[in-house]
Amino acid sequence: MAETKTEVRTLGYMVDGEWRESKSETWVDITDSNTGEVIARTPMCTEAEVTEAIESAHRAFGPWASMPVQKRTEVLFTWRPMLLARMDEIATLVSTELGKNLDEARGEVVKIIEAIDVAVGAPMLMKGESLMNVATGHDTVSYREPLGVFAGIAPFNFPAMIPFGWMLPLCIATGNTFVLKAANPVPLTSHMLLDMLYEAGLPKGVVNMVTAEKEEAEVLLKHPAVRGVSFVGTTPVGKHIYSIAAAHGKRVQAQT
């Protein structure tokens, strides 16, 4: 009996809540860590495609930031039980594309849920301060406001926990929008989790996703619409990202 080969899935990039076909000429094979078999291929997005993702997040920012904070957190409340219900499925995918054992992969999903539990406190976390009579006849009031588009550059070894736990929940709950540069070798987990997030009711464009090589990814560090960058990875790369993004006036969070 002839052996059946797994169909190789061709991935896209996410803009405006939909997966788009890349025009890139460069692709990376995604392999099953158990067998070494190629199961998917992901594009190294062009500079124009990365810019497209940023512009989508920029367009979505105004309406999303204007939405009452309780409405924003409703999306996370809806997403949370979906993650619990599909925990084993997500963990299996993490294990397949990365090679992490199932218990560790389930732990990644748990960490996303813990981050959601913090982020849904945004109505309290975003409260400002006031002080009467700071000077004669003057009171002061401070507000915590969303800033705009943030970029997340994720490492390969935690494809679920870091982008969808450490980075995304607080970013969007507080009214910002997000462009994820997923790790090129392990994008399948991000595809699944992002599909689920949009199923939970996220408005189009609030979260976008690309995979890209260094030069094209640096668009995220330079584009004027990007207000901040969050990175987790190696120290040399973190220093490189910090130097470029900071030189372009971005807030930078680099954990190495």
Side-chain angles (χ1 to χ4, degrees):
M1 183 175 179
E3 186 176 332
T4 303
K5 290 193 70 175
T6 303
E7 182 179 350
V8 177
R9 179 180 168 192
T10 298
L11 305 178
Y13 65 104
M14 172 69 79
V15 170
D16 287 342
E18 63 181 21
W19 295 108
R20 298 191 177 178
E21 184 178 342
S22 174
K23 295 179 174 61
S24 177
E25 296 180 356
T26 306
W27 296 75
V28 168
D29 288 341
I30 313 304
T31 59
D32 184 324
S33 63
N34 299 300
T35 66
E37 183 181 8
V38 175
I39 55 175
R41 56 198 294 265
T42 193
M44 297 297 95
C45 290
T46 65
E47 184 174 324
E49 289 165 353
V50 176
T51 301
E52 196 180 349
I54 295 168
E55 290 174 347
S56 172
H58 185 56
R59 288 192 300 272
F61 171 65
W64 181 245
S66 299
M67 186 180 291
V69 62
Q70 291 89 346
K71 291 290 185 182
R72 296 196 300 261
T73 56
E74 278 180 11
V75 175
L76 296 176
F77 274 118
T78 303
W79 192 38
R80 188 185 191 280
M82 295 168 66
L83 295 169
L84 284 168
R86 298 178 66 182
M87 180 179 292
D88 285 346
E89 184 183 353
I90 299 165
T92 298
L93 185 55
V94 171
S95 179
T96 298
E97 68 174 348
L98 177 61
K100 185 171 289 189
N101 69 51
L102 284 173
D103 283 343
E104 290 183 355
R106 289 188 191 97
E108 287 206 44
V109 184
V110 170
K111 290 300 180 182
I112 296 174
I113 292 165
E114 290 175 355
I116 291 171
D117 291 344
V118 174
V120 295
M124 296 297 293
L125 297 171
M126 292 188 72
K127 283 189 174 183
E129 298 176 338
S130 62
L131 178 62
M132 297 178 64
N133 294 323
V134 66
T136 302
H138 294 275
D139 302 336
T140 63
V141 179
S142 65
Y143 298 96
R144 290 192 170 116
E145 298 179 330
L147 292 174
V149 179
F150 280 76
I153 301 175
F156 80 95
N157 54 338
F158 288 94
M161 180 186 79
I162 289 177
F164 290 90
W166 289 10
M167 295 178 179
L168 187 146
L170 276 168
C171 178
I172 65 173
T174 52
N176 302 289
T177 55
F178 190 64
V179 179
L180 170 62
K181 190 278 178 190
N184 298 336
V186 287
L188 290 171
T189 301
S190 293
H191 275 252
M192 177 185 285
L193 292 172
L194 192 46
D195 281 340
M196 292 171 64
L197 188 55
Y198 274 104
E199 288 170 20
L202 188 73
K204 291 181 178 180
V206 173
V207 178
N208 303 272
M209 180 190 136
V210 297
T211 43
E213 294 185 303
K214 176 184 174 182
E215 184 175 341
E216 289 72 24
E218 286 184 358
V219 174
L220 296 167
L221 312 180
K222 301 173 183 178
H223 195 288
V226 176
R227 300 296 303 276
V229 178
S230 182
F231 165 80
V232 178
T234 65
T235 297
V237 177
K239 288 181 176 179
H240 178 75
I241 286 171
Y242 181 86
S243 64
I244 295 176
H248 285 79
K250 319 299 183 193
R251 299 179 181 214
V252 184
Q253 173 182 282
Q255 299 187 46
T256 61

